[in-house]
Amino acid sequence: MAVKGCSFGNVEVGDVNNDSNPDMVVAYNGGSSSCIGSVAQSGYFVLLGNGKGGFQAKFTGYGEFVSQVKLVDMNGDGMLDMAVDDGYQTGHLICVTCPTPITVLHGNGDGTFDTTAAHHVLDGWRIGGLVLGDYDVDGRQDLTLLSRGQRDDADGGLVPDSEGILLLKGRGDFTFEEPVLIAGGTTATNAQYADFNGDGLPDLVFGLDTSFQDVPTYYGLVALPNLGGGSFGQPLNFLEPQADTNTLLGDFNGDGAPDVLVAPYGPGFPSIVYLNKGGSTLSLTANPTTANQGDSIDLQATLSVLPRRRRLEA
C-alpha cells in the first residue's frame, strides 16, 4: 500500500465486518507540502483481514486532518462504530487554537462506516486525544476527551483554565450529555482506563504534559480513582522522568493486577514501570492523638490487603 502524504494517525484493531477475523483501521492526516491535508484527502484506511496475515485496503475520505480513530459499539447493535478526532487545521501552519471536531460514524457491519450521517459530538474545543470506556458503568459507552482548551470566539484564543479532561456520558444512541471538565488547568497525554484497586470501577491514569495551575495539584503520572456515578476522586501523583508522554498498561509481574509502563518521548530518559499494589494500604494511628514531651504514645499500624486477583488460565 503506497500512499503519498505527511503522516498517519493511530491504528485500531477490531472485527469491523463481523467475519471473526481481526481488521485494522488507520487514521490518515492527508498530505501536502505543509502537512495540512489540502492536497491529499484526509480520511481513514480500512484493512480487512483474511485471517491468514493478509489484508485488503480501502481508503475513505473524511474530515480535514483525521488524527485519531477509535472503534467501539456505541449503540449496542453488535457492530463496531468509529469515533473520530478530526484535528482540524487551517492555513499553512498548524492552528493550536482551532477547534477539533469530534464525530462518531455508525458502523455498517461490512467494513464500511456511514460518513454521510456523522454524529457530531463536540465542537468548539481543541482536543488532543480520545479515550473510550464506560466510566460510569451504566452499560453505555462514554467518551473521554483530552482538552487543550475551549475556543474563545471573542479573541480567537482559548478560554483560560479550559485545559483538562472532558467527560461525556453516553446515552447509547450516538448522543452524549454536556461535557464535564475535570483536572482543569492541565494538559494530559495518553490517558487510559483500568481498575487499579479491584473495586469494579474503571480508574483513569494519564501522564501530565503541562500544568497551568498556580498551585499544582497534578504532576508526573496521575491516577484518578473512580468514585462511582461518573465522578472521580482527588489525584494520586507519582514522580516520573521528564518528557514522558506514553502510558502503557499491562500485567508485568503476573499478579493479575494492571501495572503502568511510562515511556519517554525522546532519547536520554528512562522508562519506568509502576507495579500495582492492588489496592493495599498502610495506615498509622496514635493513642492519644496529642501528647506533651516525655509522654508515652501507642502507635498502631494497619495493613489492608485486597484479595489477590487470580490470573485467567487459557
Side-chain angles (χ1 to χ4, degrees), residues 19-23 48-56:
D19 64 353
S20 299
N21 295 322
D23 311 305
L48 298 179
N50 61 13
K52 300 178 181 179
F55 294 88
Q56 181 180 1

Side-chain angles (χ1 to χ4, degrees), residues 255-276:
D255 64 353
D259 308 307
V260 181
L261 168 66
V262 178
Y265 176 77
F269 300 100
S271 298
I272 290 184
V273 174
Y274 296 88
L275 296 179
N276 191 344

Side-chain angles (χ1 to χ4, degrees), residues 26 32 104 118 167 178 205 217 235 241 255 269 277 285:
V26 184
S32 74
V104 177
L167 302 177
E178 288 297 311
V205 65
T217 55
D255 64 353
F269 300 100
K277 295 189 297 183
T285 58

Side-chain angles (χ1 to χ4, degrees), residues 171-185:
R171 299 190 179 103
D173 59 357
F174 298 103
T175 65
F176 298 83
E177 296 184 13
E178 288 297 311
V180 175
L181 180 69
I182 63 173

Side-chain angles (χ1 to χ4, degrees), residues 201-218:
L201 300 173
D203 309 302
L204 184 63
V205 65
F206 60 90
L208 184 65
D209 181 62
T210 308
S211 175
F212 302 97
Q213 297 174 316
D214 292 334
V215 179
T217 55
Y218 297 80

Side-chain angles (χ1 to χ4, degrees), residues 112-155:
T112 66
F113 299 88
D114 189 356
T115 59
T116 64
H119 301 269
H120 288 267
V121 176
L122 185 74
D123 206 349
W125 293 76
R126 184 72 181 162
I127 300 301
L130 282 171
V131 187
L132 298 177
D134 179 16
Y135 63 78
D136 58 353
V137 198
D138 65 353
R140 294 172 290 193
Q141 282 294 327
D142 309 309
L143 277 180
T144 301
L145 308 177
L146 308 185
S147 171
R148 297 297 182 259
Q150 185 178 18
R151 173 81 171 189
D152 188 344
D153 293 331
D155 62 10

